[in-house]
């Protein structure tokens, strides 16, 4: 985690010095690779560090922090650009990554790693890692179905989000100012949901947190798909911001509680690979489809399919014989 933050800080510093767009794209690829290493590492570390009975509350507070950053971050960035310059703003961003590194150093070392036992990075070792994940999926079909099902449903949101600017401005007719207001309102909804979840996290069942979060999120996309004005789309985005927090915290807690830490890094990496590959393919298909037929019809169809899928998914989550997968303690 520390190394990936340092890499990101260094390469963010390089962006203002880039001579052309090709170099900037190359830097962005490196930043994405560093983030790809950080995500499974941080997920595994948090799972080791936070006791099972406290994970849901921890994830609720983390959602609150992320939601607050969603609003405050762009505002601070925009203010810094106005007061200084883009270059200085990027360098300040890099400094904050280094500050984060100093905070990571304070965290306890929870892993006992025998460096001599670490295998070399070879093709056979990569194949072995895939085999480990394949065996885990085969032996834990329900857990794999729930998380992979969540990933597949979220692909619909990624595809719709890529068309968001075009849809809101050209189909619905929002101005750039109204679109900016819309994003801010979504962030406010996220903060409101995160505050409520942080307070009442221990009183809300993990299963209902996932189900209500998912269904209301898909309902918000249906409202968005059939919106005709700024007021109607605001309703959808407030619901989206509010309930997305519940869904993300619930799924993350379920994931941490049901994936053994000894394979979590490899499982997370493979799931992330599956998500990224399908995301690229899905977005391309939706982009082509939107060019062939109307964008409104494409978005509406995606939203309805996602809503139907969320009901099927919710039935799987609420099955009584699977209740043990959602226990929040070891009792």
């Amino acid at each position: 985690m520390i190394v990936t933050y340092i890499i990101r800080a260094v390469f963010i510093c390089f962006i203002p010095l880039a001579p052309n767009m090709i170099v900037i794209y190359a830097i962005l690829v490196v930043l994405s690779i560093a983030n790809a290493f950080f995500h499974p590492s941080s997920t595994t570390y948090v799972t080791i560090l936070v006791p099972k009975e406290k994970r849901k509350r921890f994830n609720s507070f983390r959602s609150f922090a992320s939601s607050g950053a969603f609003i405050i971050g762009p505002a601070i960035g925009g203010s810094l650009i106005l007061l200084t310059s883009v270059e200085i703003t990027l360098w300040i961003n890099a400094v904050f990554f280094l500050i984060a590194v100093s905070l990571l150093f304070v965290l306890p070392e929870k892993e006992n790693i025998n460096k001599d036992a670490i295998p070399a990075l070879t093709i056979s070792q990569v194949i072995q890692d895939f085999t480990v994940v394949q065996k885990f999926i085969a032996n834990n079909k329900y857990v794999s179905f729930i998380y992979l099902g969540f990933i597949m449903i979220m692909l619909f949101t990624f595809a719709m989000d890529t068309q968001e600017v075009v849809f809101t401005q050209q189909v619905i007719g929002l101005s750039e100012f109204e679109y900016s207001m819309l994003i801010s309102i979504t962030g406010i909804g996220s903060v409101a949901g995160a505050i409520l979840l942080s307070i009442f996290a221990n009183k809300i069942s993990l299963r209902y947190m996932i189900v209500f979060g998912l269904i209301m999120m898909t309902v918000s996309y249906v409202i968005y798909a059939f919106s005709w004005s700024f007021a109607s789309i605001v309703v959808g985005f407030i619901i989206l911001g509010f309930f997305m927090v519940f869904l993300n915290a619930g799924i993350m807690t379920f994931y941490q509680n049901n994936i053994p830490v000894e394979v979590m890094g490899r499982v997370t990496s493979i799931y992330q690979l599956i998500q990224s590959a399908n995301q690229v393919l899905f977005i391309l298909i939706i982009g082509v489809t939107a060019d062939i037929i109307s964008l409104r019809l494409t978005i509406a169809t995606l939203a309805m399919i996602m809503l139907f899928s969320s009901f099927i998914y919710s039935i799987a989550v609420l099955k009584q014989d699977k209740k043990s997968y959602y226990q929040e303690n070891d009792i």
Side-chain angles (χ1 to χ4, degrees):
M1 291 189 294
I2 290 172
V3 170
T4 58
Y5 265 34
I6 293 174
I7 291 173
R8 289 155 84 177
V10 170
F11 278 86
I12 287 173
C13 287
F14 288 158
I15 293 177
L17 307 176
N20 52 56
M21 286 300 299
I22 295 177
V23 176
I24 291 178
Y25 281 131
I27 292 173
L28 293 178
V29 168
V30 174
L31 293 175
S32 297
I33 293 172
N35 185 57
F37 276 89
F38 177 81
H39 178 64
S41 302
S42 62
T43 301
T44 306
Y45 181 79
V46 168
T47 305
I48 296 172
L49 186 64
V50 181
K52 185 175 182 179
E53 65 276 7
K54 296 181 180 179
R55 286 172 188 161
K56 186 171 70 175
R57 191 166 183 83
F58 172 84
N59 288 323
S60 301
F61 280 111
R62 184 165 65 174
S63 294
F64 172 67
S66 300
S67 301
F70 182 79
I71 296 177
I72 298 172
I76 294 176
S79 300
L80 286 172
I81 290 173
L82 289 174
L83 293 173
T84 58
S85 65
V86 175
E87 291 82 3
I88 293 176
T89 301
L90 287 169
W91 288 329
I92 292 174
N93 190 14
V95 169
F96 275 101
F97 269 101
L98 295 178
I99 292 173
V101 168
S102 66
L103 296 176
L104 288 174
F105 270 114
V106 178
L107 293 175
E109 179 63 65
K110 286 292 184 176
E111 291 180 292
N112 295 318
I113 300 175
N114 182 4
K115 295 185 178 181
D116 295 330
I118 298 176
L121 182 59
T122 60
I123 294 177
S124 61
Q125 180 60 41
V126 173
I127 294 173
Q128 184 178 342
D129 287 344
F130 272 92
T131 303
V132 170
V133 176
Q134 183 182 11
K135 288 182 180 178
F136 173 82
I137 292 175
N139 295 330
N140 299 271
K141 291 184 176 64
Y142 181 76
V143 174
S144 301
F145 169 78
I146 292 298
Y147 194 72
L148 288 174
F150 165 74
I151 288 175
M152 297 309 294
I153 291 175
M154 292 305 293
L155 287 177
F156 288 90
T157 69
F158 295 140
M160 285 187 275
D161 289 346
T162 59
Q163 304 291 332
E164 183 178 276
V165 176
V166 177
F167 183 78
T168 55
Q169 295 186 5
Q170 295 186 11
V171 178
I172 300 178
L174 301 187
S175 65
E176 290 186 6
F177 174 76
E178 286 175 325
Y179 178 73
S180 299
M181 286 290 293
L182 192 63
I183 300 303
S184 298
I185 290 170
T186 306
I188 293 171
S190 298
V191 171
I195 291 174
L196 185 66
L197 184 59
S198 300
I199 296 172
F200 297 105
N202 291 334
K203 299 182 182 297
I204 304 175
S205 163
L206 184 58
R207 291 198 297 169
Y208 288 114
M209 185 185 296
I210 295 172
V211 168
F212 285 134
L214 179 62
I215 291 178
M216 292 308 296
M217 181 200 73
T218 54
V219 166
S220 73
Y221 273 99
V222 172
I223 295 173
Y224 160 73
F226 291 95
S227 291
W228 63 91
S229 65
F230 178 73
S232 61
I233 201 170
V234 160
V235 173
F237 272 57
I238 289 176
I239 296 173
L240 173 63
F242 190 90
F243 285 99
M244 182 67 83
V245 173
F246 285 76
L247 176 61
N248 287 337
I251 283 292
M252 180 54 66
T253 305
F254 169 83
Y255 187 78
Q256 292 170 335
N257 289 350
N258 290 283
I259 309 290
V261 292
E262 57 269 17
V263 297
M264 182 173 285
R266 282 173 285 186
V267 171
T268 305
S269 298
I270 301 302
Y271 282 174
Q272 190 171 284
L273 175 62
I274 294 172
Q275 179 178 355
S276 299
N278 282 281
Q279 186 174 328
V280 172
L281 180 62
F282 203 69
I283 289 172
L284 288 173
I285 292 173
I286 298 306
V288 172
T289 305
D291 284 337
I292 297 174
I293 62 176
S294 71
L295 181 58
R296 167 79 80 176
L297 180 58
T298 302
I299 297 297
T301 302
L302 286 174
M304 295 307 297
I305 294 174
M306 187 169 69
L307 180 63
F308 177 76
S309 301
S310 70
F311 282 115
I312 302 298
Y313 184 89
S314 297
I315 291 172
V317 172
L318 293 175
K319 290 180 70 174
Q320 279 299 113
D321 60 334
K322 305 298 182 183
K323 192 174 181 179
S324 60
Y325 289 97
Y326 301 91
Q327 289 181 349
E328 298 165 42
N329 52 56
D330 296 320
I331 298 174

